[in-house]
């Protein structure tokens, strides 16, 4: 596993973005882990987060694209932080773009924040996590209505590795099949478990045998076969 992935896993734990326990998800599933990118709240955290996303985007898609699109609302700071990190790390200027939940009819009108989209723009979508693929279902038509863009891929921070709406394939695999573009994550839940299981981190074993058993049971029910 790449060093930046190991650092990112520890960064999620330190930032209390990735938590372990018992959580009820929007889908109604009871999960032994929960990821909330809204817990990244400081300048230092956002700067580091942008760097991890930038490295993962560089590794998976290269930098031959024009716009980083972050769906409202959590995607807005993600897209801003990551375009800044791409500029710092790689010297490449990528435009950021996000959508509004409501169309604005005065001043800076329309549904988009940041850069406008132009025909031929190559776009990477950035999100925190995708469990069911519902957000892409909402985002894809917005992008296509604005201009004739080419979507190069989706980047999320954590691949939960559970079945999407279809009940058989992962949400990221469903997105690949439905929309025809790549979908990747900085890290997978499998990599998280591999890095933290029965290893002491800052004086604590984050994933012990009991928690590992709960995660295994969850994946037995909801994991991709």
């Amino acid at each position: 596993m790449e060093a930046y992935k190991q650092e990112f896993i520890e960064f999620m734990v330190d930032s209390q973005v990735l938590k372990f326990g018992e959580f009820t998800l929007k889908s109604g599933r009871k999960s032994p882990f929960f990821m909330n990118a809204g817990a990244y709240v400081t300048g230092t955290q956002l700067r580091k987060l942008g760097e991890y996303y930038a490295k993962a985007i560089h590794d998976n898609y290269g930098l031959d694209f024009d716009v980083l699109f972050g769906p409202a609302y959590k995607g807005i700071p993600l897209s801003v932080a990551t375009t800044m990190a791409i500029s710092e790390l790689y010297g490449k200027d990528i435009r950021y773009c996000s959508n509004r939940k409501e169309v604005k009819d005065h001043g800076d009108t329309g549904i988009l924040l940041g850069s406008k989209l132009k025909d031929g723009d190559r776009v990477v979508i950035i999100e925190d996590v995708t469990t069911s693929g519902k957000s892409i279902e909402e985002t894809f038509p917005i992008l296509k209505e604005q201009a004739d863009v080419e979507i190069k891929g989706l980047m999320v921070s954590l691949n939960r590795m559970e079945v999407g709406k279809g009940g058989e394939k992962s949400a990221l695999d469903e997105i690949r099949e439905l929309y025809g573009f790549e979908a990747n994550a900085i890290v997978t839940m499998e990599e998280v478990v591999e890095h933290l299981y029965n290893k002491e981190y800052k004086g604590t074993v984050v994933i012990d045998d009991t928690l590992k058993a709960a995660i295994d049971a969850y994946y037995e029910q909801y994991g991709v076969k």
Side-chain angles (χ1 to χ4, degrees):
M1 195 190 314
E2 295 91 331
Y4 79 84
K5 291 189 172 194
Q6 297 178 40
E7 290 170 15
F8 180 64
I9 291 166
E10 294 170 5
F11 173 63
M12 284 194 291
V13 172
D14 288 341
S15 303
Q16 297 190 349
V17 164
L18 181 60
K19 293 184 175 183
F20 298 94
E22 188 176 304
F23 307 92
T24 302
L25 307 179
K26 274 185 192 174
S27 60
R29 297 173 184 174
K30 303 273 191 206
S31 173
F33 58 92
F34 181 68
M35 191 235 151
N36 172 28
Y40 295 119
V41 293
T42 70
T44 300
Q45 287 172 334
L46 287 169
R47 179 181 55 78
K48 283 186 177 178
L49 180 62
E51 289 174 358
Y52 292 125
Y53 266 109
K55 288 173 182 176
I57 288 169
H58 175 266
D59 280 4
N60 285 275
Y61 304 122
L63 296 174
D64 193 20
F65 67 99
D66 309 294
V67 179
L68 191 60
F69 183 86
Y73 288 104
K74 286 181 182 174
I76 297 172
L78 296 181
S79 60
V80 172
T82 305
T83 51
M84 292 171 71
I86 289 172
S87 173
E88 286 289 318
L89 292 174
Y90 303 109
K92 177 78 186 276
D93 255 347
I94 301 290
R95 289 143 48 209
Y96 101 89
C97 180
S98 296
N99 64 298
R100 296 181 169 98
K101 289 289 189 180
E102 303 84 20
V103 177
K104 191 178 176 191
D105 60 4
H106 59 280
D108 181 19
T109 59
I111 199 167
L112 298 181
L113 291 166
S115 172
K116 301 300 182 191
L117 294 174
K118 307 191 298 281
D119 287 350
D121 275 342
R122 296 156 303 172
V123 178
V124 171
I125 303 170
I126 184 171
E127 290 205 293
D128 57 346
V129 67
T130 296
T131 303
S132 69
K134 182 171 171 51
S135 57
I136 293 298
E137 196 178 301
E138 297 168 352
T139 300
F140 188 76
I142 292 171
L143 288 168
K144 287 299 189 178
E145 283 165 10
Q146 302 306 308
D148 183 16
V149 300
E150 175 196 346
I151 299 175
K152 291 200 68 172
L154 165 70
M155 181 60 67
V156 301
S157 57
L158 176 67
N159 180 357
R160 289 183 59 100
M161 300 178 64
E162 58 195 84
V163 290
K165 292 195 301 182
E168 289 182 8
K169 297 175 180 172
S170 75
L172 295 186
D173 282 339
E174 286 182 351
I175 287 166
R176 289 186 190 104
E177 284 200 1
L178 273 172
Y179 301 103
F181 56 79
E182 280 299 304
N184 293 288
I186 302 175
V187 293
T188 66
M189 199 59 205
E190 184 178 26
E191 289 170 328
V192 170
V193 173
E194 176 193 327
H195 186 61
L196 295 177
Y197 176 49
N198 269 351
K199 292 176 191 167
E200 195 168 289
Y201 176 64
K202 293 190 173 177
T204 306
V205 174
V206 180
I207 300 180
D208 58 14
D209 288 334
T210 304
L211 181 54
K212 174 70 160 53
I215 292 170
D216 288 346
Y218 183 78
Y219 279 113
E220 189 63 37
Q221 187 170 6
Y222 298 116
V224 180
K225 303 299 183 203

